[in-house]
Amino acid sequence: MSNNDNKDLNILLEELKNEDPEVRKEAAESLGECQDAGAVEPLIKALDDDNPHVRFASAKSLGNIGEPAIEPLVNILKNEEGNIRRYATLALKDIKSDKVVDQLVDALNDEDWSVRKFAAKALGEIGSTTAVEPLIETLKDEDWGVGVAAVKALGDIGDEQGIDPIKKARRAATGDKEFKKACNKALKKIQK
């Protein structure tokens, strides 16, 4: 890394502490573009920022940085509470690494519906067949969005084990046209 790059990184890290949330958001976005592992820890702290736009930008940037962000993000899932877990799950979803499948499977049982939803989406995007059974269980989630995310994830993974449970969930969703549509799309993906 050149001195100029160090200078830019230091400026962005300072801007991440600025009073203006718009400046913090732009700094978080820029840190993701430079993909420097030195930005991981400050971005992890920014996942707990007062402003949701800063938290979202930080999560997206951690997703862009990738591998170096995995361990701290997994630690958040294991040890933290509240909003920060949502954003950590969102970042892990964007990293799409097989290394986080077990943690995301655990997150399917989180008390926060948004953590469960992002975990299901992430598992679908990663495409690991190890997630099929837990996603089948998640079809029964009390939150509609989590159930839809699980259906879509099973469709994305494309494992035939998902066919019968998706059909069963589709039959149980009487009157829910959107859920049935998601089931039909998932089944088409699996059966192609």
Side-chain angles (χ1 to χ4, degrees):
M1 178 179 265
S2 74
N3 277 347
N4 228 9
D5 290 343
N6 269 339
K7 185 177 153 195
D8 291 345
L9 179 64
N10 290 333
I11 290 169
L12 291 172
L13 293 174
E14 278 307 307
E15 288 177 351
L16 198 56
K17 300 174 196 169
N18 193 291
E19 284 184 28
D20 183 346
E22 190 59 33
V23 171
R24 293 194 310 270
K25 179 180 97 71
E26 288 174 16
E29 289 169 349
S30 296
L31 286 166
E33 289 167 17
C34 73
Q35 297 185 335
D36 189 302
V40 170
E41 223 28 68
L43 285 168
I44 291 285
K45 285 184 182 129
L47 290 178
D48 209 16
D49 193 275
D50 292 340
N51 186 289
H53 301 292
V54 175
R55 293 191 302 257
F56 184 78
S58 299
K60 287 302 203 182
S61 289
L62 286 163
N64 285 342
I65 292 171
E67 231 26 62
I70 291 174
E71 190 177 329
L73 290 167
V74 167
N75 286 335
I76 288 172
L77 282 183
K78 290 179 181 173
N79 303 313
E80 299 291 331
E81 291 186 18
N83 269 343
I84 192 168
R85 302 178 80 234
R86 278 182 200 170
Y87 292 98
T89 310
L90 177 64
L92 286 170
K93 178 182 92 58
D94 289 346
I95 293 173
K96 297 181 181 116
S97 170
D98 285 333
K99 293 179 180 179
V100 298
V101 170
D102 292 341
Q103 290 80 9
L104 290 168
V105 165
D106 290 345
L108 290 173
N109 297 310
D110 196 272
E111 72 265 357
D112 183 330
W113 66 269
S114 62
V115 171
R116 297 191 309 270
K117 182 178 174 180
F118 285 137
K121 282 183 169 186
L123 290 165
E125 289 178 23
I126 292 169
S128 171
T129 55
T130 349
V132 171
E133 298 265 335
L135 284 166
I136 288 170
E137 284 302 308
T138 306
L139 289 173
K140 301 171 194 154
D141 196 281
E142 76 266 2
D143 184 86
W144 183 86
V146 175
V148 170
V151 165
K152 289 179 177 179
L154 286 166
D156 290 343
I157 293 171
D159 190 292
E160 291 184 4
Q161 283 183 74
I163 293 174
D164 288 337
I166 291 172
K167 286 181 178 178
K168 185 177 177 185
R170 182 178 62 185
R171 279 192 302 277
T174 53
D176 188 344
K177 289 180 182 173
E178 288 303 309
F179 187 80
K180 288 182 180 223
K181 192 163 44 171
C183 289
N184 290 336
K185 280 184 178 178
L187 289 168
K188 278 183 184 168
K189 279 183 163 182
I190 295 171
Q191 295 171 330
K192 65 177 175 175

